[in-house]
Amino acid sequence: MELAERKVEEQKGEPAVVERDIDSNLVTAVSRTKAESIRRKELRKAGKDPKDAKEEEKELDERSEHTQDIDTVCKEFNTDKDKGLTSAEYDKNLERYGKNQLTPPPEKFWVLQLLEHMTGFFSLLLWMASILCFIAFGINPESQDNLYLGVVLAAVVAITGVFSYYQDAKSAAVMAGFKNFLPEKCIVTRDGEAKEVLAENLVPGDLVKIQNGMKIPADIRILKQSEMKVDNASLTGESEAQKRDTAIMKEGSELLEATNMCFYGTLCVNGNGTGIVTATGDHTTIGSIAKLASEASEGGETPINREINHFIKIISAVAIFLGVLFFVLGFILGLDALDNVVFAIGIIVANVPEGLLATVTVSLTLTAQRMAQKKVLVKNLEAVETLGSTNVIASDKTGTLTQNIMTLQHFWFDGKQRNAADFMEGKEDRDGKTFSVVKHCLGLCTTASFTDKQEEKDNIPFQARRFSGDASEGAMIKFMEPLLRKDGMRIEEERRKYPAVYKLPFNSTNKFMLHVCDMGSEHVLWMKGAPERIWQRCDNVLVDGKEQAKEEVEAKYSDGLFRLMNNGERVLALCMKRLDPNMFKPGYEYKWDGEGGVDSNFPHRGYTFIGLAALIDPPRPAVPGAVRSCQTAGIQVIMVTGDHPDTAEAIAKMVGIITKPTRRDVAARERVPISEIDYDHPDIGARVIKGAEVNQLSDEELDHVLDFEQLVFARTSPANKLTIVKALQEKRFKRYKDGRMPKRIKNIVAVTGDGVNDSPALSQADIGVAMGIVGSDVAKDAADMILLNDDFASIVDGVEEGRLIFDNLKKSIAYTLSSNIPEITPFLVFIVLQIPLGLTTVLILLIDLGTDLLPAIALAYEAKEADIMMKPPRDSRTDRLVTRKLISFSYLQIGVIQAAAGFYAYFVVLSDYGFPAGELLGAAQLFFDFADDRDDAVFTPPRTVDAVHLQVGDNAINLQECVFDDADTCHIPDEALFHAQSAFFVSIVIVQWADVIACRTRRLSIYHQGMRNTVLNIGLLEETVLACILLYTPGVGVIGTRPIRFVHWFPALPFSMFIVIYDEMRKYLIRLGPPEGSEKKMNIVEEYTYY
């Protein structure tokens, strides 16, 4: 992918983009062609004909700010290039141009959305069945059953469609609400003061600061820039980052090709700058060609989508196959054509789980709400299930595992370690010769600044004040500001007194930041960065204000650095160089062309080392527990950071990523230099690897490194991080040091990150997780999830939610499918054995969409099982949503018991009304004939209650004495059958009580899970009350139900109790086996029944 093929910056820095030698004309042609292609595509999406869209083209062509000088641009918008707009001019421009918002795309009309929900594959099957019923009624109007069935089927599709649409709308509303969690902000200067404002409040004329990693909030004419590059891929399709400058473009040149412009929606991937807003909202370049930023990207099919579609295909194929099979069998057996059609419809209806899609929608809506409460924004809600399948998390350190509340903890200079707090408290000399130079470096080689003037007025403590810039620099200015004020100075005043004439921002290639400042009599180069990079550039060391050869203090330096890093502190080295005033005069234009670049025109070696500044970023309190939860759940947590290996190792040990001996630990234990310890030493259980080492490893060697359970990658570049993620995804076997056989694996990799440098890995990962507070816009765009609180523990919440979605859908499907067998077998028995139909199609629908629906949906509300994070991640290759084990459980185990319960109740009721079970074989036609024409019936003796024989046409049946001598039912075939069918219906309701209780857990006992699912408890009550309403409400009998006697509720109860006992025994035997995910062979019960 384009973004992944670039080198980008690391950890809040800027990218070192590798430039290619490209013909500029070719780039221009590609840019123009791509932009035109995108323009036409987006205009079509907006419902416009590109040929007629002249207004948009004219508006774009007439803009000329890129060909004007800055003064002209400022005059046009009544702004000042130093102080920005005045409040009065801002109000005028806001009224004139409006908010900086794009007109949202037209939403699909709600009626069309509703129709989509009513025309899914399951719905189309039911529509077809409904139409066939109406056709059957049209052929034979005397058969009201077909009319009722057609109406019920149509009503079913309509009701479920409305419910599904409502739930989707509800879920969409929750997701739309997430947008307010992450309003885009930027720094503007108005009335001469810098302030942070919402991007939507920008107006033309605003003076905006552009920072690395930022999404450009409007079309901006660049006023100043430092090593600035932008990613215009979203606009022009160019994969290469484009340099920006301040040069005025030639008259007539195209706006899209202007190098002095930044365009709305593109990304700053290197350097920084300042510019004047020239267009906002729909008037921007993207707005003018209808490129709507709120338009959602069309992602690939998510795992949960694949699973649901896979299930729908299986069930639909089964339903249609059985429907056609029974239709053919009916013809072979000589059944009436219309009856045959109705029976085929019954088979299809019995197999289709009409409530499944509603259950899925409810599950996702609930997840959206729960994730919102846990401060997690999920761009694609269905991707949460992917996180539930994750077995490797490659986490950044700063701000994710740690609190990102940097504090200056220690200094090291003049050969000694010193507490930073001692300088504040006066215990250390604030005016010492070397420390005075340290203060200059910290104050002048930083760009962070406090942003809220009100906090100054309210006298808020400096440590609690908000600032712009990265966390490390924030810690420095929070230390420096009170220190300088004791001397009657402020950090901004110092920067104005000694202005920076050149700035080279931090990036992941250089790993340092450089400012050249005019100190009055001379230019001084100040630098801070990674200790190993700074030390190698220095020839001398400042000791008590005097320079010494660095070889004289190298041992002390190494010891001091080790001590600081071993404490888990983030260490930055400081250095300087006084530049020759005869060569580097005022107005000198400094250029940096990379390490040893031919165009670099100032020294990049021979510096003077000042000292070390150590910052502490303590682990988040919840992280050690979250890491343990991940490890218990079979998820490997790997740290991938740009920090120093010693610091990374110390933090990894604090949070539990490393618990086994590292190479350094083994060396310390054996009291030998670390270089004498082999990487394959048998006692090494955890590896700490530098990014430079990753570059030197072959694919096979890296694959072997990834066999370690405990891994830390330090000093990594964006390319390193991407390589690691790809290697994890491509890994196929896990090898063990203890001699166990290699295990076949398929890694699902989650990656966390916050900087521009993390975006390639975030895009490559199966699920990318960006930080919401400190994360750059580039990282957020590349990620699938955003942690609004930047807390690693929220990832564990996401894993639980992902697993819970999958678990609860499995449970709901297992519950729903179980009733298919008692619904299908009456038709099978009717066709094959000619026993009167035990359950009508209408009653099947009443079960599927009446009594079963709420309990099935209620399983989406089921709380996680206590062991959900003690199980290994789901293997997507074998653990599908619907497996043969689930089919076996639902159909061949629970379903068979339910069918037995239904037939038992059915035969008991018919027997009680005088029809012995032995006489029912082949009696179906007699029941049909009696219902069609009672006048042909001959009872012997004639009084029906006393009759022992019944003759209807050519068919006869022997009767027995009725237990209940109700004259309207005793020995009356159709009424007795209605009662028996109602009892069959009731028996399914009763066994489904037990089924839903059994399905609440997959492994644990219901005793441990409890009955705390209020929605499910209500569902159990609802299905019972609904069954009573359908049986005992006057007038409802037209659908084929009858008010059965209370005693006829009891035949199914033993079967219901048996289901609970059987399932508890099954789960108990499963728990006796090896733990889930163990390499030991599972017992036979788990092998064949654990779904």
Side-chain angles (χ1 to χ4, degrees):
M1 59 187 68
E2 292 176 352
L3 195 58
E5 289 172 354
R6 294 199 304 272
K7 284 191 175 181
V8 233
E9 65 91 27
E10 179 207 37
Q11 196 177 354
K12 302 178 235 6
E14 294 81 36
V17 181
V18 179
E19 297 293 336
R20 294 190 297 227
D21 293 326
I22 304 176
D23 186 325
S24 60
N25 293 325
L26 177 61
V27 170
T28 301
V30 170
S31 171
R32 188 178 298 148
T33 304
K34 181 68 176 179
E36 176 64 13
S37 171
I38 293 175
R39 184 188 73 84
R40 292 178 177 276
K41 178 182 176 184
E42 299 303 332
L43 284 171
R44 289 192 185 96
K45 285 185 179 179
K48 301 178 183 179
D49 185 344
K51 294 180 181 179
D52 298 331
K54 299 297 182 184
E55 289 302 316
E56 285 83 356
E57 291 182 9
K58 182 179 178 181
E59 184 179 339
L60 196 59
D61 291 341
E62 286 180 352
R63 289 175 55 186
S64 59
E65 61 263 38
H66 59 299
T67 64
Q68 299 170 345
D69 60 55
I70 287 295
D71 291 335
T72 304
V73 174
C74 289
K75 185 177 179 181
E76 181 179 346
F77 297 108
N78 298 316
T79 189
D80 185 274
K81 63 183 178 181
D82 296 315
K83 296 181 179 179
L85 290 169
T86 63
S87 297
E89 288 298 335
Y90 169 76
D91 292 336
K92 288 180 184 178
N93 285 0
L94 181 62
E95 184 176 354
R96 178 182 176 186
Y97 297 104
K99 288 268 191 179
N100 181 28
Q101 295 173 328
L102 291 172
T103 303
E107 292 186 1
K108 189 178 291 185
F109 188 43
W110 68 269
V111 173
L112 295 177
Q113 295 181 41
L114 181 58
L115 286 174
E116 285 181 359
H117 283 278
M118 291 186 178
T119 52
F121 195 80
F122 283 168
S123 298
L124 289 175
L125 284 177
L126 296 181
W127 278 125
M128 181 181 70
S130 177
I131 292 169
L132 288 174
C133 286
F134 287 128
I135 292 173
F137 173 71
I139 295 173
N140 182 15
E142 294 181 3
S143 178
Q144 299 288 315
D145 289 349
N146 292 331
L147 175 62
Y148 295 145
L149 182 56
V151 171
V152 169
L153 285 169
V156 161
V157 180
I159 292 170
T160 53
V162 169
F163 180 79
S164 183
Y165 165 75
Y166 167 74
Q167 287 296 338
D168 255 5
K170 195 173 172 184
S171 179
V174 172
M175 295 305 292
F178 274 148
K179 293 179 182 178
N180 298 324
F181 279 94
L182 290 171
E184 291 183 13
K185 296 180 180 180
C186 54
I187 305 293
V188 301
T189 300
R190 292 181 190 151
D191 295 317
E193 289 189 1
K195 58 180 73 175
E196 188 176 62
V197 302
L198 294 177
E200 66 178 28
N201 293 329
L202 287 179
V203 297
D206 264 328
L207 183 60
V208 179
K209 183 177 181 180
I210 303 169
Q211 297 171 307
N212 167 61
M214 173 181 174
K215 181 184 285 184
I216 306 299
D219 281 6
I220 296 173
R221 170 72 155 81
I222 298 171
L223 180 63
K224 301 175 185 176
Q225 63 84 30
S226 176
E227 305 296 324
M228 187 173 171
K229 294 182 182 180
V230 292
D231 177 1
N232 285 343
S234 62
L235 186 63
T236 66
E238 296 174 68
S239 62
E240 200 72 23
Q242 305 297 304
K243 288 182 178 179
R244 300 291 92 174
D245 55 40
T246 58
I248 300 173
M249 304 300 292
K250 292 181 180 179
E251 193 73 32
S253 61
E254 293 194 21
L255 181 66
L256 277 174
E257 297 170 15
T259 58
N260 60 6
M261 292 291 299
C262 294
F263 301 106
Y264 178 84
T266 60
L267 302 165
C268 175
V269 294
N270 193 74
N272 50 59
T274 306
I276 302 291
V277 173
T278 59
T280 56
D282 289 338
H283 302 290
T284 60
T285 304
I286 281 182
S288 67
I289 58 175
K291 173 71 175 178
L292 302 175
S294 56
E295 185 176 300
S297 60
E298 297 178 8
E301 193 178 35
T302 60
I304 197 68
N305 265 334
R306 281 196 297 272
E307 294 297 335
I308 291 168
N309 291 335
H310 175 252
F311 169 67
I312 288 174
K313 288 175 184 176
I314 291 174
I315 294 301
S316 300
V318 170
I320 294 170
F321 170 75
L322 289 178
V324 171
L325 177 64
F326 276 62
F327 186 77
V328 172
L329 285 174
F331 265 117
I332 293 173
L333 295 172
L335 290 181
D336 179 76
L338 287 179
D339 290 338
N340 225 357
V341 169
V342 173
F343 289 141
I345 291 171
I347 291 297
I348 292 172
V349 169
N351 274 282
V352 173
E354 293 85 354
L356 172 68
L357 298 184
T359 305
V360 172
T361 307
V362 170
S363 293
L364 295 177
T365 304
L366 288 173
T367 300
Q369 293 168 343
R370 285 195 291 254
M371 296 298 267
Q373 292 168 359
K374 294 172 181 178
K375 299 295 183 185
V376 179
L377 186 157
V378 186
K379 290 184 180 179
N380 181 356
L381 194 54
E382 292 163 342
V384 178
E385 196 283 322
T386 307
L387 191 58
S389 306
T390 297
N391 62 340
V392 180
I393 298 176
S395 177
D396 193 14
K397 177 181 72 67
T398 305
T400 310
L401 299 173
T402 59
Q403 297 179 31
N404 202 34
I405 305 175
M406 286 287 189
T407 305
L408 257 174
Q409 191 81 355
H410 293 104
F411 288 106
W412 184 93
F413 58 85
D414 291 345
K416 296 178 182 179
Q417 180 175 310
R418 306 161 194 270
N419 290 324
D422 289 346
F423 290 95
M424 300 297 298
E425 297 168 4
K427 296 178 182 179
E428 289 276 1
D429 184 6
R430 292 198 296 268
D431 299 318
K433 294 179 180 178
T434 304
F435 187 65
S436 295
V437 181
V438 169
K439 288 192 293 183
H440 274 315
C441 191
L442 291 181
L444 299 177
C445 195
T446 52
T447 57
S449 59
F450 296 110
T451 56
D452 196 329
K453 302 295 183 183
Q454 188 61 41
E455 291 180 342
E456 173 71 23
K457 295 176 182 177
D458 295 341
N459 204 26
I460 301 295
F462 290 106
Q463 289 298 323
R465 293 191 187 183
R466 286 175 288 182
F467 62 90
S468 65
D470 76 14
S472 297
E473 292 203 351
M476 292 176 184
I477 65 169
K478 287 178 180 180
F479 172 81
M480 285 295 300
E481 188 70 19
L483 204 63
L484 288 172
R485 291 198 182 188
K486 292 179 185 292
D487 300 327
M489 178 74 78
R490 298 190 179 199
I491 197 163
E492 292 297 337
E493 292 174 0
E494 185 180 36
R495 290 173 181 171
R496 284 195 293 270
K497 183 178 180 181
Y498 306 117
V501 296
Y502 178 73
K503 296 179 181 180
L504 181 64
F506 178 93
N507 67 51
S508 59
T509 300
N510 300 330
K511 297 191 186 299
F512 63 75
M513 180 180 195
L514 179 155
H515 283 191
V516 178
C517 297
D518 184 352
M519 305 301 288
S521 60
E522 62 183 352
H523 286 182
V524 175
L525 181 153
W526 302 101
M527 181 184 283
K528 73 175 191 298
E532 65 273 19
R533 297 296 178 91
I534 301 297
W535 184 257
Q536 70 182 13
R537 293 175 183 276
C538 296
D539 292 341
N540 302 309
V541 177
L542 199 65
V543 179
D544 294 326
K546 298 179 181 179
E547 295 184 6
Q548 293 183 9
K550 73 176 184 180
E551 290 77 15
E552 297 176 19
V553 293
E554 189 156 11
K556 288 184 179 180
Y557 161 78
S558 298
D559 181 65
L561 179 62
F562 174 77
R563 288 177 183 276
L564 292 172
M565 289 186 168
N566 213 37
N567 292 334
E569 296 177 36
R570 185 178 188 185
V571 183
L572 294 174
L574 314 175
C575 71
M576 63 174 288
K577 183 172 181 64
R578 300 180 188 278
L579 300 177
D580 184 353
N582 295 320
M583 180 180 297
F584 301 95
K585 299 177 181 180
Y588 184 86
E589 290 191 15
Y590 291 87
K591 294 180 182 178
W592 172 263
D593 190 31
E595 196 70 42
V598 293
D599 291 334
S600 295
N601 62 359
F602 61 90
H604 47 79
R605 291 192 178 275
Y607 300 165
T608 299
F609 187 85
I610 302 170
L612 301 172
L615 305 98
I616 186 70
D617 181 15
R620 292 178 180 272
V623 167
V627 170
R628 283 195 300 273
S629 295
C630 286
Q631 291 167 343
T632 304
I635 301 170
Q636 182 183 14
V637 182
I638 296 173
M639 181 190 290
V640 185
T641 178
D643 218 332
H644 192 280
D646 293 343
T647 305
E649 181 177 335
I651 295 294
K653 288 177 178 177
M654 290 181 195
V655 300
I657 291 176
I658 290 181
T659 58
K660 297 177 181 178
T662 63
R663 189 167 171 243
R664 181 179 298 280
D665 294 330
V666 173
R669 186 189 67 199
E670 299 184 3
R671 298 183 179 181
V672 297
I674 191 171
S675 57
E676 294 184 15
I677 303 298
D678 268 346
Y679 287 105
D680 57 357
H681 191 288
D683 292 345
I684 295 177
R687 284 289 302 269
V688 180
I689 305 162
K690 296 179 184 177
E693 295 176 39
V694 173
N695 292 333
Q696 296 170 2
L697 296 174
S698 66
D699 291 346
E700 186 178 352
E701 288 170 333
L702 180 57
D703 189 73
H704 278 79
V705 166
L706 295 177
D707 288 330
F708 279 85
E709 284 292 332
Q710 300 180 358
L711 283 168
V712 170
F713 292 91
R715 284 288 188 248
T716 56
S717 67
N720 293 148
K721 196 165 188 176
L722 185 60
T723 299
I724 292 163
V725 173
K726 286 182 175 179
L728 285 166
Q729 291 173 323
E730 292 168 2
K731 190 170 179 61
R732 292 294 173 262
F733 291 95
K734 180 86 170 179
R735 290 166 288 268
Y736 300 94
K737 293 180 71 174
D738 58 10
R740 283 179 288 165
M741 290 292 292
K743 178 183 177 183
R744 191 172 183 83
I745 60 170
K746 183 181 186 300
N747 287 328
I748 303 295
V749 183
V751 172
T752 73
D754 57 8
V756 177
N757 65 301
D758 296 315
S759 56
L762 290 171
S763 299
Q764 175 66 33
D766 295 285
I767 182 160
V769 184
M771 303 299 110
I773 298 174
V774 301
S776 67
D777 290 331
V778 184
K780 292 172 188 174
D781 278 358
D784 303 294
M785 283 175 57
I786 300 172
L787 304 183
L788 300 175
N789 56 3
D790 287 8
D791 194 345
F792 179 84
S794 297
I795 299 176
V796 179
D797 293 333
V799 171
E800 286 186 355
E801 290 296 337
R803 293 185 175 193
L804 186 59
I805 285 179
F806 198 79
D807 271 9
N808 286 350
L809 284 179
K810 261 186 175 287
K811 294 170 185 176
S812 185
I813 290 172
Y815 168 76
T816 304
L817 293 185
S818 296
S819 61
N820 281 8
I821 295 300
E823 291 171 353
I824 293 170
T825 47
F827 289 91
L828 180 62
V829 169
F830 167 76
I831 292 289
V832 177
L833 302 179
Q834 282 295 288
I835 290 176
L837 188 62
L839 202 64
T840 65
T841 305
V842 172
L843 290 177
I844 290 173
L845 287 170
L846 291 175
I847 293 167
D848 290 349
L849 292 156
T851 60
D852 268 4
L853 187 58
L854 185 55
I857 292 173
L859 284 169
Y861 289 81
E862 191 63 38
K864 64 184 180 184
E865 295 184 41
D867 67 342
I868 194 169
M869 291 299 286
M870 298 177 187
K871 301 185 290 187
R874 177 175 74 89
D875 186 340
S876 58
R877 296 169 302 174
T878 56
D879 192 2
R880 308 295 298 268
L881 189 62
V882 179
T883 62
R884 59 181 180 82
K885 294 181 185 179
L886 187 144
I887 296 295
S888 169
F889 173 80
S890 295
Y891 281 179
L892 303 182
Q893 297 167 54
I894 305 300
V896 169
I897 298 171
Q898 290 189 347
F903 278 109
Y904 179 64
Y906 168 84
F907 287 126
V908 165
V909 172
L910 283 177
S911 179
D912 286 350
Y913 288 118
F915 296 92
E919 292 291 323
L920 294 175
L921 190 65
Q925 192 60 47
L926 180 142
F927 279 72
F928 273 129
D929 292 343
F930 185 90
D932 289 341
D933 190 358
R934 289 192 175 199
D935 295 337
D936 283 348
V938 178
F939 288 93
T940 306
R943 187 169 180 265
T944 56
V945 174
D946 299 327
V948 295
H949 187 78
L950 171 61
Q951 181 82 31
V952 182
D954 297 331
N955 300 299
I957 188 172
N958 292 318
L959 306 174
Q960 66 183 23
E961 184 180 353
C962 296
V963 175
F964 305 105
D965 55 358
D966 183 349
D968 292 331
T969 310
C970 179
H971 295 156
I972 306 299
D974 54 353
E975 280 301 316
L977 183 59
F978 282 140
H979 277 76
Q981 289 170 340
S982 299
F984 203 121
F985 166 75
V986 165
S987 71
I988 293 179
V989 171
I990 291 172
V991 290
Q992 283 291 74
W993 294 345
D995 186 25
V996 77
I997 290 171
C999 288
R1000 291 187 62 225
T1001 63
R1002 294 172 60 198
R1003 190 181 183 95
L1004 294 183
S1005 168
I1006 193 63
Y1007 173 79
H1008 298 109
Q1009 187 76 353
M1011 292 294 290
R1012 290 180 289 272
N1013 185 342
T1014 305
V1015 179
L1016 182 62
N1017 296 336
I1018 293 172
L1020 288 169
L1021 179 63
E1022 176 270 342
E1023 71 172 328
T1024 307
V1025 170
L1026 180 59
C1028 292
I1029 291 172
L1030 293 172
L1031 293 177
Y1032 301 107
T1033 303
V1036 178
V1038 295
I1039 62 174
T1041 57
R1042 292 296 183 268
I1044 64 173
R1045 293 180 178 272
F1046 183 63
V1047 70
H1048 289 155
W1049 283 69
F1050 287 95
L1053 282 176
F1055 294 89
S1056 187
M1057 289 186 286
F1058 177 72
I1059 287 174
V1060 173
I1061 294 169
Y1062 165 78
D1063 195 63
E1064 284 294 301
M1065 286 297 299
R1066 181 183 69 85
K1067 292 171 183 171
Y1068 173 72
L1069 292 172
I1070 288 174
R1071 293 195 299 275
L1072 285 181
E1076 192 170 354
S1078 168
E1079 294 185 9
K1080 295 179 181 178
K1081 187 176 180 181
M1082 61 184 73
N1083 62 40
I1084 191 169
V1085 178
E1086 181 175 6
E1087 186 174 356
Y1088 290 102
T1089 70
Y1090 178 65
Y1091 60 89

